[in-house]
Amino acid sequence: MNCSKGETRRLSLPADFTGTPWSDLDFLGWRDPKAPDRGYAVTERDGELVGIALRASTGARRSALKSSICSVCVTPQAGSGITLLVAPRAGEAGRQGNTVGLYICADLACSLYVRGKKQSALARRFEESLTLEEQNERTTRNLNGFLDQVLGQA
């Protein structure tokens, strides 16, 4: 939704795309194996697949010694496990250079962290009173809030 047709044709699918655990994903997120500073997220919205391109911020890196929390899945990670990914806004705003960003799991595997299928370097998530279904809904809601900003709907 926020890149040109040429950029879309050049993107690389995840390295192990055929082994993707679809039933464990609220959205498909990956870093481009040929361009690690790029990432992509694809999710279903209103019965349609919507994808956005992301780019790792070129600003100062956060300390690898401090921990951070993902804005999407609320998973605590070591400093290097969370990164600022920036997305050009869709349409004319994006062509003018306007972007939005969020701190998210660097590998975009939020769904797997929530479900306990993947462990962060901190080894465990917070104990929460929310059910797994509610945590999944929160992850989707947080990602959709970011997508609203990218698409100019917020």
Side-chain angles (χ1 to χ4, degrees):
M1 298 300 296
N2 65 342
C3 60
S4 70
K5 289 179 182 177
E7 290 170 317
T8 302
R9 281 191 299 271
R10 289 188 299 272
L11 73 82
S12 298
L13 290 174
D16 187 23
F17 185 71
T18 57
T20 300
W22 297 107
S23 62
D24 291 325
L25 299 180
D26 301 304
F27 69 94
L28 176 62
W30 75 97
R31 298 293 286 268
D32 191 322
K34 294 181 182 175
D37 64 325
R38 294 182 192 196
Y40 306 95
V42 178
T43 190
E44 186 177 340
R45 283 174 56 111
D46 302 321
E48 295 182 359
L49 290 178
V50 175
I52 60 168
L54 303 157
R55 188 170 292 251
S57 171
T58 56
R61 295 252 181 225
R62 297 180 74 150
S63 171
L65 302 175
K66 293 183 180 179
S67 61
S68 298
I69 296 178
C70 175
S71 299
V72 174
C73 67
V74 193
T75 297
Q77 298 265 11
S80 62
I82 299 289
T83 192
L84 176 61
L85 291 180
V86 177
R89 289 188 183 268
E92 183 61 30
R95 288 188 289 278
Q96 292 176 1
N98 295 325
T99 61
V100 292
L102 83 161
Y103 287 97
I104 189 169
C105 295
D107 59 3
L108 299 168
C110 297
S111 299
L112 300 179
Y113 291 114
V114 169
R115 288 172 172 80
K117 305 286 182 170
K118 192 168 188 180
Q119 298 292 318
S120 77
L122 296 179
R124 61 180 254 203
R125 292 179 41 86
F126 297 121
E127 290 286 330
E128 292 195 61
S129 60
L130 299 176
T131 65
L132 179 58
E133 183 176 304
E134 291 169 329
Q135 291 176 52
N136 293 337
E137 288 171 3
R138 177 184 60 202
T139 297
T140 301
R141 189 173 50 251
N142 290 344
L143 180 65
N144 280 325
F146 180 66
L147 287 174
D148 288 345
Q149 292 177 36
V150 172
L151 302 174
Q153 298 173 347

